[in-house]
Amino acid sequence: RGTQASPTAIQSGDTIGRYDFIGRGATNFFGGRAYFEGKAAETWTDSAQGSTFSFFTTPTGGTAGVERLQIADSGNIGIGTTSPYAKLSVVGQAVAAYFTATTSTASTFPYASSTAITVSGTASTTNLVVSNTIDFPAAAAGAVTGRLTVGGERLMYMTGAGATRNFFAGHNSGSLTITGSRTTGVGTGALGNVSSGSHNTAFGDQA
């Protein structure tokens, strides 16, 4: 910034250092395809000199370096993002052999997918423990709002919402039924002959 005789302060975003790898193509030498660089994270003063550090590579078939990893001024590391909001922020799929929690701090999955968290293979050799609440979204009458299935058989599911919500549990979810009117049936088809009223209880097959 400025001139050699009259330098000025580095501004936020200015490159303060860069190491470039250079190679030759068919006819010329090229740089800027693989490099790492440091940049100012703020306008520097004599007491504030924040910086970032980034790694760049060029995709196959391309000619421009793309930022792949950044160490922010906060110390947060971003992969696929230039704004890492946590100690490690990854934009895109992340794959690992396993994850180990080293504190009792709760882990949060803000978004798994539009429908479910999917586990492929053996999820755990011990237990999956869920504390507090599992919430299923509301749905129209007759629509399934949530389902727990093991080995292809439904152990529990719900349909509808509010007064029309029904809860089913047991083998293929036919052994216990609780309707939105608080009527309970124990046994497959136990509510087959209970079509009205509320707070009723029926036991047995096709009671």
Side-chain angles (χ1 to χ4, degrees):
R1 288 283 178 172
T3 65
Q4 187 173 2
S6 181
T8 59
I10 287 175
Q11 303 296 299
S12 179
D14 283 355
T15 297
I16 56 179
R18 170 168 164 163
Y19 191 95
D20 209 335
F21 297 87
I22 298 175
R24 182 177 172 82
T27 59
N28 291 300
F29 286 93
F30 299 93
R33 307 303 189 262
Y35 61 96
F36 52 84
E37 69 178 13
K39 286 188 174 183
E42 60 185 342
T43 297
W44 281 21
T45 68
D46 291 342
S47 59
Q49 297 141 23
S51 63
T52 64
F53 193 76
S54 301
F55 293 84
F56 294 73
T57 65
T58 301
T60 300
T63 58
V66 178
E67 185 173 14
R68 306 299 190 180
L69 183 149
Q70 181 189 110
I71 304 175
D73 59 295
S74 62
N76 291 344
I77 297 174
I79 299 176
T81 175
T82 57
S83 303
Y85 63 90
K87 289 300 181 183
L88 177 61
S89 299
V90 179
V91 173
Q93 184 180 20
V95 180
Y98 60 88
F99 296 91
T100 301
T102 58
T103 72
S104 58
T105 303
S107 297
T108 302
F109 294 89
Y111 180 78
S113 75
S114 60
T115 54
I117 295 176
T118 301
V119 178
S120 178
T122 302
S124 171
T125 56
T126 53
N127 300 303
L128 172 63
V129 179
V130 179
S131 300
N132 298 323
T133 304
I134 299 177
D135 288 324
F136 294 116
V144 175
T145 60
R147 178 185 293 118
L148 175 62
T149 303
V150 176
E153 295 185 358
R154 293 176 298 183
L155 297 186
M156 177 189 76
Y157 73 98
M158 299 177 68
T159 63
T164 63
R165 173 169 291 162
N166 298 316
F167 173 83
F168 304 89
H171 174 68
N172 270 331
S173 302
S175 299
L176 172 66
T177 304
I178 303 175
T179 70
S181 61
R182 307 301 193 273
T183 292
T184 302
V186 180
T188 303
L191 297 181
N193 296 316
V194 181
S195 58
S196 63
S198 63
H199 299 84
N200 298 311
T201 302
F203 294 89
D205 184 29
Q206 299 294 333

